Amino acid sequence: MAMALPLAYASSVVHPFEAGRLSFSTKATKHKKQIYQFRNVTKVLAYYGLTNPPYKLDALEPYMSRRTLELHWGNIHRGYSDSLNKQLANSPLYGCTMEELIKTTFNNGNPLPEYNNAAEVWNHDFFWESMQPNGGRLPWGGVLDQIEKDFGSFSNFRDEFVHSAMMLFGSGWVWLVLKTNERRLSIVRTSNALCPLVWGDIPIISLDMWEHAYYLDYKDDVSKYVNNFMDHLISWHSATARMVRAEAFVNLGEPKIPVA
Amino acid sequence: MQHHTLSCCGGVRASLPPPTLSFRWSKIKREGGRRLPRCARIAAQLELKPPPYSLSSLEPHMSRETLEYHWGRHHRAHVASLNNLIAGTDLDGMGLDEIVVVSYNKGNPLPLFVHAAQVWNHDFFWQSIKPGGGGRPSGRLMELIERDFGSFDRMLEEFKRAALTQFGSGWAWLVYKANRLDVGNAVNPCPSEKDNKLVVLKSPNAVNPIVWDYSPLLAIDVWEHAYYLDYENRRADYVSIFLEKLVSWEVVSDRLDVAIERAAERAREDETRRQEDDAAVTHSEAVEMYLDSDTDDSEAE
């Protein structure tokens, strides 16, 4: 996941608090010496790096072509990341994890300009990790149990997911989320860059329904794209790991009250 | 079965040649051999109009494949969905402009709005471009552009910026905006041509400026399906090529003329209405007014 790294630049104001921070500077040695002498201070900026998908760009063939990934990750995702960093250079937001940044910039429905970029960086990270080569098929264990509990059966869930994706008009995402208040899994469809994190829900799997995600491979055949995602790409390993983490925040258990 | 091709309603309102409607008579009750039945259920079906050029004629700026998918599949699907959704409802038989405005429902759109608007938008879009397009406009259009944007290049810059900053899917527009209040008794005391301006705007997904009562002159589709096959993610290149090589400024000029005429006609209507209102006030009987009585005595005595 993208992490915040402080990037130090010399300036003239002294902040003892900042003095002890690690700085990652690529400037000349003289400059480095200045920083280590804590004489000039640092205007510390937030910086979010672009992470790589956890597989090679051609690993998802033939369901998602290498060219799509080259453009989708290499240009579009990278573009969001660069734009975000450029915006943050002039912004007071600092010290947030990516998730905190999204919630902050969402500003309860009145998003700040950084929101779109931040959310899209996170969304795409999440999306790459929601897929794997040789994915698809069925989940197992706790995830399968929870799906069966909340949707009736896996095929109900699958149908609902595909249906939700087909119903989306315009650009957006389809998510399998764990709703923290309702304490159940649910399928959610969001527009543009909206991310269920802003409602405090915990996403488990996402599918990018922006046209750039599928147009080169499937053109307008959205149903084939979504079905291929479900059958061959979706990473239930990731879903399991995310559910495990989510259960630290949401109590899905039911007390086993012994019947007297 | 009789087939009629009629122009749709609202002559001056339409800023593009209206889509052809073919009427199909269904459930006809014939009486005495009369062709025109007493009560017939007319199902007006909107048709998919082809662009006014062949699908491969916009090469290399917009490939044949793009047009085959964009027009042949996306646009066609919207027409089919729209026909399905309006069949048997009040909207059946209305002109497309009216369907769009009615289904927009002042910001609370009906489900069929997206289809109606996308059919309208795409018709408009195909008409806005042509093989060998581009260049510069002239005449009244150029004058207004220079008046409202400073220069033609500034207008292009603003248009490009709108197209590039439309996040997600949508459209960027050049519209003619006749500034009027959307209130029944709104009166412009000194109406003049200068109140009407050219404006660049962008809209998300399927929204279209006729719902805000503007007169669109030019549109560019910035949904990714419009450019992804030819330009991949390089929207900026697509928009530049669109403006340099594809735009049909003649069509835009014609639309501007229609828009100006429409605005002038509505201004005249407003003026006559205002005069009638004034006349009505002066000729009506004196309004009964309740004045304070001369005495201070209370009536409840």
Side-chain angles (χ1 to χ4, degrees):
Chain A
M1 282 291 171
M3 296 221 323
L5 302 170
L7 211 60
Y9 293 91
S11 85
S12 56
V13 181
V14 181
H15 278 285
F17 176 70
E18 309 288 6
R21 281 192 190 239
L22 264 182
S23 55
F24 296 81
S25 171
T26 52
K27 301 208 178 171
T29 329
K30 182 178 170 208
H31 177 76
K32 269 195 190 152
K33 216 172 145 198
Q34 279 177 335
I35 290 175
Y36 291 143
Q37 283 171 357
F38 309 140
R39 205 170 294 151
N40 298 333
V41 180
T42 67
K43 178 170 176 268
V44 187
L45 299 173
Y47 177 85
Y48 297 84
L50 178 70
T51 56
N52 294 14
Y55 35 76
K56 290 224 186 79
L57 296 185
D58 56 3
L60 299 178
E61 298 262 11
Y63 308 107
M64 192 175 276
S65 66
R66 182 160 159 274
R67 185 66 187 148
T68 297
L69 275 164
E70 276 177 6
L71 291 171
H72 197 176
W73 172 73
N75 288 359
I76 296 179
H77 189 185
R78 193 187 297 274
Y80 284 126
S81 174
D82 293 341
S83 308
L84 177 65
N85 289 324
K86 229 189 300 193
Q87 278 178 320
L88 290 175
N90 298 319
S91 147
L93 293 165
Y94 169 76
C96 310
T97 61
M98 205 56 181
E99 286 158 23
E100 284 171 14
L101 183 66
I102 291 177
K103 289 183 194 170
T104 314
T105 50
F106 185 65
N107 199 17
N108 291 318
N110 222 340
L112 305 178
E114 295 88 351
Y115 174 77
N116 280 339
N117 289 325
E120 284 291 86
V121 172
W122 191 91
N123 289 345
H124 282 94
D125 272 339
F126 191 84
F127 178 53
W128 306 133
E129 292 175 10
S130 298
M131 296 194 290
Q132 65 170 76
N134 228 349
R137 295 183 298 275
L138 290 174
W140 55 88
V143 173
L144 183 58
D145 288 342
Q146 193 64 35
I147 287 180
E148 288 182 339
K149 180 167 165 225
D150 293 328
F151 293 96
S153 72
F154 179 75
S155 62
N156 281 355
F157 153 72
R158 191 186 181 288
D159 291 341
E160 212 181 300
F161 194 91
V162 171
H163 177 77
S164 191
M166 302 298 293
M167 286 291 107
L168 178 70
F169 184 71
S171 304
W173 301 77
V174 187
W175 307 80
L176 173 63
V177 289
L178 183 62
K179 287 203 173 279
T180 37
N181 291 336
E182 298 168 36
R183 302 192 304 146
R184 50 160 291 156
L185 287 175
S186 176
I187 294 175
V188 166
R189 190 167 68 226
T190 60
S191 278
N192 290 0
L194 196 54
C195 172
L197 284 179
V198 304
W199 303 309
D201 292 334
I202 303 177
I204 305 293
I205 287 286
S206 79
L207 174 57
D208 190 349
M209 294 301 295
W210 283 61
E211 284 171 331
H212 60 235
Y214 60 86
Y215 213 75
L216 288 182
D217 301 328
Y218 299 93
K219 311 248 173 38
D220 72 315
D221 198 351
V222 181
S223 127
K224 195 157 162 233
Y225 167 60
V226 183
N227 280 301
N228 276 348
F229 174 79
M230 294 303 291
D231 294 334
H232 302 286
L233 289 175
I234 198 171
S235 171
W236 291 114
H237 288 281
S238 293
T240 308
R242 288 162 178 168
M243 274 295 276
V244 167
R245 177 179 172 269
E247 292 194 38
F249 299 91
V250 179
N251 188 346
L252 291 174
E254 277 170 3
K256 274 196 161 58
I257 300 176
V259 177
Chain B
M1 206 153 48
Q2 269 185 329
H3 281 274
H4 289 280
T5 331
L6 281 177
S7 302
C8 67
C9 62
V12 287
R13 196 185 171 101
S15 53
L16 65 148
T20 45
L21 297 179
S22 59
F23 285 80
R24 280 199 266 113
W25 303 102
S26 53
K27 296 191 189 151
I28 296 176
K29 263 206 298 201
R30 285 213 170 81
E31 285 186 8
R34 263 175 27 190
R35 234 39 210 318
L36 277 175
R38 274 266 175 92
C39 34
R41 209 174 125 257
I42 304 172
Q45 295 282 303
L46 291 158
E47 283 177 355
L48 175 67
K49 280 183 66 191
Y53 36 77
S54 80
L55 297 187
S56 46
S57 55
L58 298 179
E59 299 263 9
H61 313 299
M62 192 179 278
S63 65
R64 183 197 169 84
E65 203 190 0
T66 298
L67 276 162
E68 279 176 358
Y69 279 96
H70 197 177
W71 174 76
R73 295 188 63 90
H74 289 271
H75 189 178
R76 193 186 295 273
H78 282 299
V79 172
S81 306
L82 179 62
N83 283 331
N84 276 338
L85 289 170
I86 61 175
T89 68
D90 296 344
L91 297 170
D92 209 347
M94 280 189 191
L96 186 57
D97 285 28
E98 236 185 299
I99 298 180
V100 171
V101 172
V102 167
S103 60
Y104 184 66
N105 199 15
K106 298 200 167 72
N108 206 355
L110 307 176
L112 66 95
F113 170 74
V114 296
H115 299 294
Q118 283 292 73
V119 173
W120 196 100
N121 294 341
H122 282 97
D123 274 339
F124 192 84
F125 178 59
W126 302 131
Q127 309 264 340
S128 305
I129 56 182
K130 65 170 192 184
R136 300 168 80 84
S138 58
R140 189 146 64 151
L141 175 59
M142 192 54 145
E143 276 170 33
L144 284 183
I145 289 178
E146 290 183 339
R147 183 194 77 180
D148 293 326
F149 294 96
S151 74
F152 179 61
D153 292 323
R154 293 259 289 272
M155 187 279 281
L156 290 184
E157 278 311 306
E158 214 176 304
F159 190 84
K160 279 186 208 175
R161 200 165 4 113
L164 293 177
T165 54
Q166 173 49 43
F167 187 72
S169 308
W171 301 75
W173 306 82
L174 177 66
V175 304
Y176 182 75
K177 181 179 175 190
N179 286 303
R180 309 169 79 239
L181 286 176
D182 189 21
V183 194
N185 58 352
V187 167
N188 184 347
C190 301
S192 88
E193 228 298 281
K194 288 197 289 210
D195 292 335
N196 305 333
K197 288 191 169 322
L198 290 182
V199 173
V200 162
L201 34 102
K202 58 190 183 202
S203 64
N205 290 0
V207 180
N208 147 340
I210 65 174
V211 304
W212 300 314
D213 207 23
Y214 297 171
S215 305
L217 304 177
L218 176 63
I220 180 172
D221 189 352
V222 289
W223 281 65
E224 283 163 334
H225 62 237
Y227 59 90
Y228 218 73
L229 294 178
D230 299 330
Y231 298 92
E232 291 166 339
N233 69 311
R234 300 187 311 271
R235 197 191 275 192
D237 289 350
Y238 161 65
V239 180
S240 300
I241 297 274
F242 174 87
L243 288 171
E244 285 165 28
K245 301 272 182 5
L246 288 174
V247 178
S248 167
W249 292 114
E250 293 79 27
V251 170
V252 180
S253 276
D254 291 341
R255 289 167 176 165
L256 178 65
D257 292 336
V258 171
I260 292 180
E261 180 51 44
R262 173 175 162 230
E265 177 158 333
R266 285 167 83 176
R268 283 197 291 274
E269 282 172 12
D270 282 349
E271 188 56 32
T272 30
R273 193 162 39 90
R274 188 167 74 86
Q275 283 168 354
E276 281 168 8
D277 283 349
D278 283 349
V281 165
T282 45
H283 290 142
S284 68
E285 295 178 6
V287 175
E288 212 181 298
M289 288 171 53
Y290 291 97
L291 302 168
D292 282 347
S293 62
D294 288 337
T295 63
D296 287 329
D297 293 344
S298 163
E299 283 183 342
E301 192 115 6

